[in-house]
Structures are given as C-alpha cells and as structure tokens.
Amino acid sequence: MQIFHSSLFTFHFFFVSLHPIRVSNSYFYTTIMINRQIIRIKVVQLTYAYYQNGSKNIDTAEKELMFSLSKAYDLYNYLLALIVAITQEARRHVEVAQSRAQREGTAMPSQKFIMNRFALQLEENRMLNDFMEAQKKNWNDEPEILKKLYTQITESQIYQDYMASPEDSYSADRELWRKLYRTLIENNADLDSLFEEQSIYWNDDKEIVDTFVVKTIKRFDEKNKGHQELLPEYDSEEDRDYARKLFRAAIMNADEYQHYMSDASQNWDFSRLAYMDIVIMQIAIAEMLTFPSIPINVTINEYVEIAKLYSTPRSAGYINGMLDGIARHLIERGLLLKPIAPRKDLRQ
C-alpha cells in the first residue's frame, strides 16, 4: 500500500521552505556537536527531500545526509572564528586611532576590547586554527560584514558598559562575548543572508549551532590557553552509524512501516494526514525497530518534538497517539522486543 499522495504535500522542498529549527538550550544540552537530536532532524529533512527527488538514489541521498551533518560542524567553527575576526577588525581600528592620536597629540584609544582575554585565547586555539587553515574561505573575505558588526558592537550598551567597568578579569571578558553573541550575532539579518548564500544548509542549522557556540564560550577556561577543547563533531563512530542506519531503515522499509501506520489509524482521520507527519512517523518506526537500546518513550517524545517544529498544529498529538498505538501493536505481534510504559505515563 502506497500512502504518499501529491495531494497530501503540505511542504515544498525542505531546502526552500522548512523553517529554522527552534530549540531551547536545555533540549540540546550536550558535550558533542552532532548529537542524536540533530541527527533525527537531519534524517527527517533528508527523507522528505528523498521523496521529493525524482531519482530516489539512496546512496546519493545518504551522502547528502552525512554532508549536511558535517556542514553543521563547519558552521560551529566558522561562528567561533567570527569572534576572532571581529577582534582583529577592532585591532585594525585601534591601530588607525593610535596613529591619529600620535599625530594630533591626543589621548591614546583604549585597548581593553582588543586585549579581551577570552578572544585572545580563542585566537590561539589549536583546534579552531587547524580547522580554519583547512578551509577555502575565512572571514577576511567578508570585510563589510566585519565592519558593520564591529560598529554595531561599539555602539551597543553591552560594549559601553564593559569599556567603562573597572572590572578586569577573564570571567568579565568571557561574559562580554557571551552577551555580544546572544545579542548581536544570534539574530542578525546580515549574517542570515550571508549564510544563505554560502550554504543551503546553514540557515536551517544556525539556531541549533548558536546554542553550541554559547555553550562553548561558557566552557572556556583561561588555564587551558590555546589547548582548550572545542566540542568534537561526534561522540563516536556509533553516532555516524546511527545516522546511516536510521536513514536507510526508514527508506528501505517504507512500505512495511506505512502498513503499520494504516493499521493503527482506525481511530484517526488518516486520509487528512500531512505528508510531513508520514515522514516523521516512518522514521520513528525505523528507530523503534532498528535500535534496541533506545527506549520507546524516548523515540516517541523525540519525534513528537520534531512534529511541533515542522508539521501542523494538530500533528504532535496525532503522532503521539499513532506511534503509541503502533508500538503496542508491534509488541503484541512479537515484532518489537522492548518494554513500553503504561498509557497513563505517556506524554498526553
């Protein structure tokens, strides 16, 4: 039975129309960059794209998935490098001001901002420098962006309070950049436009990646100097395998999983089900059946959260009920060998 129909398509190709990922800091609290929440979202995106792509080449689609995940890590490093680039831009401005002050016999400009200890530590960071040296582009290619950001920073109350404060500590320097990042970099239309030009993935990724950049700023410790560890891309090869296996299972067993959806939909108006809901449930069933160590309630809750981001207002409750029913049906048939919480304990 083929459930997908063009009349149910409620989204355009995801690169064009899927909304940026909305997250809370706690939801993505982790010590690695590419965690399973991000992988699930990317698998949903790429599975949706797979069905919109007429060629339906699963090997090509899998490569696209892994490339998409790697681009999120690229953006993480690129945004950290932006802090360094702004500091270097400030240094150029101070050098010009110093030359003018010498000529005119006026007071020398403050060097407090360009001597910010957190920014200097980040500039010396071994992992970041190794990464940026391997890239074809860097922030020096975007002088107008840097000038505008530097101006926005120097005109901000955050900057003015910092420059006027008598406090002289590493923690104050680090906190300055946390505040500047949250205020002027997280929601910046110029950066959004630039990232949209540079990568089809980055606008969707930026809101998640911002949380990791802020987390990294807060983790920095002065005593680690240039050897401060940044977040690794993956915790282990196991997470790479998780991404590949989840994607392939969802695609290769689509007909079987869609039968489970149809069987479980007797109490639901399945004919009006949004296309994205089908994709989300198909991947959730794949996770239930492919990964014995992931509890059923974790799978259901994770994909309910994804439905809240990407589908219709009614989708989360619908998907929650459907996946619960499917899981119980599979357990009864001996196809799913996992315990499931009593219905009263599941998310309503």
Side-chain angles (χ1 to χ4, degrees), residues 2-45:
Q2 184 56 266
I3 292 175
F4 293 116
H5 298 292
S6 59
S7 62
L8 296 177
F9 288 1
T10 59
F11 289 74
H12 296 298
F13 189 68
F14 89 92
F15 290 146
V16 177
S17 69
L18 283 188
H19 299 295
I21 299 162
R22 306 288 174 183
V23 296
S24 66
N25 289 344
S26 60
Y27 185 67
F28 283 92
Y29 186 88
T30 183
T31 57
I32 58 174
M33 174 62 210
I34 306 298
N35 64 10
R36 292 197 173 184
Q37 288 94 339
I38 293 178
I39 291 172
R40 288 182 179 104
I41 289 171
K42 290 290 188 180
V43 170
V44 167
Q45 291 177 335

Side-chain angles (χ1 to χ4, degrees), residues 85-101:
I86 293 170
T87 301
Q88 293 170 344
E89 176 70 15
R91 202 172 290 148
R92 288 188 284 270
H93 282 261
V94 169
E95 288 171 357
V96 170
Q98 285 175 331
S99 297
R100 184 185 303 115

Side-chain angles (χ1 to χ4, degrees), residues 135-166:
Q135 303 305 302
K136 295 180 180 178
K137 61 180 180 294
N138 60 58
W139 284 105
N140 291 331
D141 300 327
E142 307 296 338
E144 294 306 315
I145 289 281
L146 292 178
K147 288 177 185 177
K148 189 169 183 178
L149 272 170
Y150 176 65
T151 299
Q152 290 171 341
I153 286 171
T154 57
E155 292 176 350
S156 71
Q157 191 63 47
I158 296 170
Y159 173 88
Q160 292 169 21
D161 290 346
Y162 169 77
M163 296 299 285
S165 173

Side-chain angles (χ1 to χ4, degrees), residues 22 32 45 54 57 59 63 94 110 118 127 132 138 141 148 173 183 189 197 202 205 226 242 245 268 290 296 310 327:
R22 306 288 174 183
I32 58 174
Q45 291 177 335
N57 185 313
D59 293 328
K63 290 177 182 177
V94 169
S110 171
F118 164 75
M127 290 179 67
M132 292 305 296
N138 60 58
D141 300 327
K148 189 169 183 178
D173 288 355
T183 305
E197 292 173 6
W202 278 0
D205 292 342
Y242 167 78
K245 289 178 181 178
W268 301 88
T290 308
I296 292 171
Y310 286 126

Side-chain angles (χ1 to χ4, degrees), residues 244-291:
R244 295 188 186 100
K245 289 178 181 178
L246 180 61
F247 180 69
R248 282 191 171 268
I251 298 295
M252 297 177 71
N253 301 301
D255 289 343
E256 178 184 349
Y257 298 162
Q258 290 169 27
H259 274 297
Y260 298 152
M261 294 181 217
S262 181
D263 291 345
S265 67
Q266 295 176 4
N267 297 323
W268 301 88
D269 188 2
F270 195 59
S271 64
R272 301 184 65 182
L273 186 62
Y275 172 58
M276 181 55 74
D277 293 349
I278 297 173
V279 170
I280 290 169
M281 287 192 290
Q282 185 171 316
I283 298 165
I285 296 167
E287 181 171 298
M288 287 182 194
L289 292 171
T290 308
F291 300 96

Side-chain angles (χ1 to χ4, degrees), residues 171-189:
S171 61
D173 288 355
R174 183 182 57 198
E175 178 63 9
L176 168 74
W177 271 109
R178 188 193 69 81
K179 289 179 178 178
L180 290 174
Y181 192 95
R182 294 294 307 273
T183 305
L184 298 175
I185 296 177
E186 278 194 10
N187 298 297
N188 187 297

Side-chain angles (χ1 to χ4, degrees), residues 187-235:
N187 298 297
N188 187 297
D190 294 322
L191 287 176
D192 289 344
S193 296
L194 175 66
F195 293 150
E196 187 173 6
E197 292 173 6
Q198 292 188 343
S199 172
I200 57 177
Y201 306 101
W202 278 0
N203 264 5
D204 274 346
D205 292 342
K206 185 174 181 293
E207 195 161 349
I208 291 179
V209 174
D210 281 337
T211 67
F212 289 112
V213 173
V214 171
K215 179 177 176 61
T216 298
I217 293 171
K218 292 164 67 175
R219 283 163 52 93
F220 257 58
D221 190 324
E222 186 176 20
K223 71 176 185 294
N224 293 329
K225 300 183 179 179
H227 296 285
Q228 173 75 46
E229 293 288 327
L230 304 182
L231 298 181
E233 185 172 7
Y234 289 94
D235 186 31

